[in-house]
Amino acid sequence: MSAAVTVGALAALQSQVNGSLADVLGNGLEAALISFGVGLIVLTLMGLAMARMRSGMRVLVAATRSGGIPRWQVFGGLLGAFFVVTQSMSVPVGGVALFAITTVAGQVTASLVVDRMGLGPYGRQPVSSTRVISAIIAIGAVGSAVTGRWGGDGLSLLLVVMGLVAGGAVGVQAAINGRVSAVSGEPLVAAWMNFIVGTSALLIAVGIAASTGLTNLATPTDSPAWLYTGGLIGVIFVTTTAWVVGRVGVLRQALLAIAGQLLGSIVLDLIFTDYVDLGLILGVVLAFVAVVISTGGRRPVPDRIAP
């Protein structure tokens, strides 16, 4: 469980890194492409150096051809790309707080559904009152953490719907990444596929936006190296999440990641602003309460997924 909390904290750091890169470029979509591109380069180099990644990719290809795993499940990177694009569109208008609360609501709701469907490798889990309560508390935790950070006139039905759908996409992505990891026998393969698909989708999106004049591409100059670490953080996040989902389920992984993200936010606030408000501290406490509540009940047996 500590791995899920840690990657949640890394997600908070990635938001800071990618947000800073977007500020330098003046283009959130291009920043997302650079982040995904860096992650793809890192994973490709690892794939060239690690025989088990290449072997896992061959197993995954064979499984998709034989019907061992539906082909659509290898396109989880599209969901990740959709999340990043939605983030780049929503945050400048509605603010980080609106985006955070709507995406968390979408994520925990989708996590309940995909666990009930058995879409993840952990198997089917009933929508019990305990799990629903833990999901509601998690949403309340984020609501507490973002108190006082709401934007002015950014609230709109469109942004709320986009945030809910993007959060739901993250929940589904975690489930199918866990399946890809289980089938291939290598979490890094799930991450590799995500970055291949996500980078391709973002490359097309940026190309369309640039060619139609919707955005202007910038050439970063004299930028600090840390601005380009978002992709590396993403590699760690996707790989670890794909591994954790198979052991604790989609909802519990989401709750642990939310707790870690809020905890990471405290550290970042201390570093960058030297101030932490009580709402954020209460949010962290509530998030861990949600995790504790979610651990109650019968522990289901993970599915056996044959390659």
Side-chain angles (χ1 to χ4, degrees):
M1 291 197 296
S2 60
V5 175
T6 300
V7 296
L10 284 176
L13 177 60
Q14 185 187 38
S15 296
Q16 180 69 41
V17 171
N18 286 344
S20 298
L21 179 59
D23 286 339
V24 170
L25 298 175
N27 188 332
L29 193 58
E30 185 181 357
L33 176 59
I34 291 175
S35 179
F36 266 75
V38 169
L40 178 58
I41 292 172
V42 170
L43 283 166
T44 300
L45 292 175
M46 292 176 66
L48 292 174
M50 300 170 63
R52 73 170 189 265
M53 281 184 65
R54 299 193 299 274
S55 176
M57 186 64 80
R58 288 193 293 269
V59 170
L60 178 62
V61 171
T64 56
R65 289 176 175 174
S66 65
I69 183 174
R71 293 188 178 184
W72 66 268
Q73 290 192 2
V74 303
F75 291 97
L78 289 175
L79 300 176
F82 173 73
F83 178 87
V84 174
V85 171
T86 303
Q87 183 183 53
S88 66
M89 294 175 60
S90 300
V91 171
V93 179
V96 175
L98 173 63
F99 185 74
I101 193 69
T102 54
T103 53
V104 166
Q107 183 179 1
V108 297
T109 301
S111 297
L112 283 170
V113 174
V114 298
D115 270 347
R116 176 64 182 86
M117 294 172 59
L119 186 58
Y122 201 67
R124 293 179 183 272
Q125 300 180 57
V127 183
S128 64
S129 58
T130 298
R131 291 168 61 79
V132 172
I133 290 171
S134 64
I136 293 173
I137 292 176
I139 296 172
V142 177
S144 172
V146 302
T147 299
R149 304 185 184 196
W150 295 94
D153 301 322
L155 184 62
S156 72
L157 179 60
L158 176 60
L159 292 181
V160 169
V161 171
M162 288 177 64
L164 288 171
V165 175
V170 171
V172 176
Q173 181 190 27
I176 62 179
N177 281 350
R179 285 275 174 177
V180 171
S181 175
V183 168
S184 66
E186 177 54 68
L188 284 168
V189 170
W192 201 3
M193 283 302 305
N194 267 253
F195 278 86
I196 290 173
V197 174
T199 301
S200 300
L202 285 169
L203 187 60
I204 294 172
V206 169
I208 293 174
S211 62
T212 56
L214 294 176
T215 187
N216 294 318
L217 301 183
T219 303
T221 57
D222 300 326
S223 301
W226 65 268
L227 288 177
Y228 303 96
T229 60
L232 178 59
I233 297 172
V235 169
I236 299 172
F237 180 86
V238 175
T239 303
T240 306
T241 298
W243 177 76
V244 171
V245 162
R247 285 154 178 79
V248 302
V250 181
L251 176 62
R252 197 171 300 164
Q253 179 276 324
L255 297 177
L256 287 165
I258 289 167
Q261 188 169 357
L262 294 178
L263 191 60
S265 297
I266 287 182
V267 175
L268 290 173
D269 277 359
L270 286 173
I271 293 174
F272 289 99
T273 66
D274 198 28
Y275 169 78
V276 176
D277 59 79
L278 292 178
L280 181 55
I281 295 175
L282 177 60
V284 172
V285 174
L286 288 175
F288 279 102
V289 169
V291 172
V292 172
I293 292 176
S294 74
T295 60
R298 181 179 63 86
R299 180 182 176 89
V301 179
D303 288 346
R304 293 184 179 274
I305 303 176

